[in-house]
Amino acid sequence: MKTKKNLTSLILPVAFLILVFLLDQLIKPTDSMSMLLTVLQKGSVYALAAVSMNLLNGFTGLFSLGHAGFMLIGAYTYAIFTIPSQARDSVYQYFDALIRVSFPEVLSGALGGFGYVLGIALAVILAGAIAAVFAWLIGLPVLKLKSDYLAIATLGFAEIVRAIFQWQKLGPVTNGSNLLKSFERTSTFRITLGNGTVISFATFVPVLIAVICISLIVRLVNSTYGRAFKAVRDDEIAAEAMGINLARTKQLSFCTSCFFAGVAGAMMAMVLSIAQASNFKVAMTYEILLMVVLGGIGSISGSIIGAMLFISASEWWLRGLDSGSFLGINAPGIFRNGFRLVVFSLIIMVVVLFFRKGIMGDRELPEVIQGWRQKRQSRKRRAE
């Protein structure tokens, strides 16, 4: 039974990645279904961000609101270390760029195409690592706080980071209040074959990164470290009595969560093609928290579902409400700019009323499917 479950958990992500790769080749930017690729790209970013926040808030019981700050650090780290040398002077047009190393450029010169991929991977990992270092530094004082006080402290950290990254004196590194651009992004992830055929990886790459990272988080949650996280969440006094080091466990959870938040920030830079501190406001953290609550605190599957539903509704399904036409109904007097947010807020209220613990609660998707199968089998037995 366990072997079958492990095989299923392996086959489903691989099948999904194959489907995404095929969609990348079949759907063109001018097609009516091109928004599906946008939803998959942004959805993968926010799914990883929501799962990483759930690791901290849902599985460890630490209420943090600093995710936007760590995503900002990851986005800037990735952008800075992937800007090609010939474009760096035009990007830093008001400053003399201090960092002039591009990982994909250096490694592709030595190793070819494999070096380019390796350079992208190193930049993404470095984005998460630097975010984790900042998390370790800020965690030393703030993890002694609890509940709302921890949330306020991490929220303040996110705002401080956003202000510092726009500080003109750091312009040689961060480009001040100006945006970073011309770095390696999803639109450049393609291969042109000898016959002129273009193979695109614009959607496949962010989805692949999200799948790998979420799989690692799942393994962590199901390990002894994950059980320690849950013990701290349920009862700190009992966890300490059982020999769990509270400070070390909280620090590990905080740094791990922020590492993946940094990776999500790097993915966001890839997808948006720019990195600018003004994009990483407090509202971003609230949106990610909303995804976690919608999906279910303590459920990884719920965070993914919540993120995908949030992005699909806000970026695609309800977009017509802002343009005067929705579901074939033309009502420019009612459907105007901003009406989408009103309807979306009402939908969220309805979901929260009917699903008090979120869509998934604290359950995972395999558990829900297994429960449906058991109910169906019991109905068949009663019918017989």
Side-chain angles (χ1 to χ4, degrees), residues 50 61 70 90 134 165 167 222 324:
F70 296 108
S90 62
F134 273 87
F165 271 63
W167 190 24
N222 294 327

Side-chain angles (χ1 to χ4, degrees), residues 35 37 41 62 83 86 92 121 127 155 166 214 220 226 261 263 343-344:
M35 278 304 299
L37 298 182
Q41 291 175 14
L62 299 177
I83 298 176
Q86 68 271 16
Y92 289 85
L155 180 63
Q166 297 179 91
I214 292 174
L220 177 65
V263 173
V343 175
F344 187 58

Side-chain angles (χ1 to χ4, degrees), residues 85-104:
S85 57
Q86 68 271 16
R88 199 167 292 266
D89 289 334
S90 62
V91 173
Y92 289 85
Q93 54 182 329
Y94 302 109
F95 305 97
D96 183 17
L98 183 64
I99 300 175
R100 294 184 170 273
V101 177
S102 172
F103 290 166

Side-chain angles (χ1 to χ4, degrees), residues 198-220:
V198 177
I199 301 178
S200 174
F201 296 91
T203 307
F204 179 80
V205 170
V207 171
L208 175 64
I209 295 174
V211 168
I212 292 174
C213 291
I214 292 174
S215 299
L216 292 175
I217 293 174
V218 171
R219 293 294 297 268
L220 177 65

Side-chain angles (χ1 to χ4, degrees), residues 1 365-375 377:
M1 186 69 180
L365 190 58
E367 298 175 22
V368 175
I369 295 174
Q370 184 64 24
W372 289 344
R373 288 177 178 174
Q374 292 176 354
K375 289 181 180 179
Q377 290 173 358

Side-chain angles (χ1 to χ4, degrees), residues 310-323 325-327 339-345 347:
F310 182 92
I311 297 299
S312 297
S314 59
E315 296 286 339
W316 189 11
W317 297 338
L318 302 179
R319 180 64 68 179
L321 293 173
D322 285 352
S323 60
S325 177
F326 183 68
L327 296 177
F339 191 70
R340 167 175 56 95
L341 298 178
V342 176
V343 175
F344 187 58
S345 300
I347 293 174

Side-chain angles (χ1 to χ4, degrees), residues 110 156 179 200 208 261 284 297 303-304 334 371:
L179 57 84
S200 174
L208 175 64
M284 179 180 290
I297 298 177
S303 296
I304 298 171
I334 300 175

Side-chain angles (χ1 to χ4, degrees), residues 13-27 36-37 40-41 44 200-208 211 308:
V14 172
F16 179 67
L17 287 172
I18 294 174
L19 175 62
V20 171
F21 176 77
L22 293 175
L23 291 175
D24 239 347
Q25 316 313 316
L26 297 175
I27 300 178
L36 175 60
L37 298 182
L40 288 172
Q41 291 175 14
S44 62
S200 174
F201 296 91
T203 307
F204 179 80
V205 170
V207 171
L208 175 64
V211 168
M308 287 298 179

